[in-house]
Amino acid sequence: MPNFLIALLLIFVFGVTLRWLPISGYVDPMEEPWDGLRSLTLPAITLGLALAAVITRTLRSSMLEALSEDYIRTARAKGLSDGAVVRRHALKNALIPVVTVLGLQLGTLIGGAVITEYVFALPGVGRLVVDAVFARDYPLVQGVVLLIAVGFILSNLAVDLLYGFIDPRIRHR
């Protein structure tokens, strides 16, 4: 489901029907901690829901593949508990695809933040871009797109560097 539809459904259920959370606006969490967290709950769930599903599905398939490997069978034969086998051996090898997906999901997160900020009337870079497009302020749009592109490139660099920490067999030269 697209982020704007998830946002509208969450607004309807938790804001209009149940009246548990505010449907729009922003309260600074540093000034009013409780109201600030309440105002950021629906946007955070909107952004994180779809991304969490992809990451969970990737982690599940990677773990199933890692748990069927010979070295896992060997670790269990040595007498290690299931928890130790999963933590020490399987999870480490299953994290490589998950980290890759996390790096790629950053672009989706930034794109979803633009719509989410606009739907929930939050101040941020996404709303700034939308307002700049409506005002035909092209230099501002270009600057924000450049900033987002640099952030995306840096996140991919961080993912590449994390590979070496997760799996020592992968070395950067």
Side-chain angles (χ1 to χ4, degrees):
M1 285 176 47
N3 280 346
F4 69 88
L5 187 57
I6 292 172
L8 294 176
L9 288 173
L10 289 173
I11 287 172
F12 179 73
V13 171
F14 294 106
V16 175
T17 306
L18 298 173
R19 296 181 190 259
W20 288 353
L21 298 168
I23 59 174
S24 69
Y26 175 74
V27 178
D28 187 10
M30 296 299 172
E31 294 176 11
E32 296 287 332
W34 178 247
D35 290 335
L37 289 176
R38 288 184 69 230
S39 72
L40 293 175
T41 301
L42 287 180
I45 291 172
T46 300
L47 287 173
L49 202 60
L51 301 177
V54 172
I55 292 168
T56 304
R57 195 171 50 202
T58 305
L59 180 61
R60 180 185 181 277
S61 66
S62 293
M63 282 296 290
L64 288 175
E65 184 179 331
L67 288 172
S68 67
E69 294 290 331
D70 291 337
Y71 64 89
I72 298 295
R73 223 172 300 129
T74 304
R76 285 188 175 140
K78 287 182 176 181
L80 288 176
S81 67
D82 285 339
V85 168
V86 168
R87 280 190 309 275
R88 292 184 194 157
H89 300 286
L91 186 60
K92 197 172 190 180
N93 290 309
L95 279 181
I96 296 290
V98 174
V99 169
T100 303
V101 169
L102 278 171
L104 295 174
Q105 289 287 356
L106 183 68
T108 306
L109 181 67
I110 292 170
V114 171
I115 301 300
T116 303
E117 286 176 6
Y118 202 76
V119 168
F120 288 104
L122 297 174
V125 175
R127 187 169 175 98
L128 177 68
V129 169
V130 173
D131 291 341
V133 167
F134 288 145
R136 296 182 183 206
D137 188 359
Y138 299 124
L140 181 60
V141 173
Q142 288 175 335
V144 171
V145 168
L146 180 66
L147 179 71
I148 291 170
V150 167
F152 191 72
I153 290 169
L154 289 176
S155 74
N156 282 323
L157 175 66
V159 165
D160 287 344
L161 294 175
L162 275 174
Y163 287 159
F165 290 113
I166 293 172
D167 191 354
R169 296 174 295 178
I170 301 172
R171 294 284 176 220
H172 301 286
R173 299 187 195 271

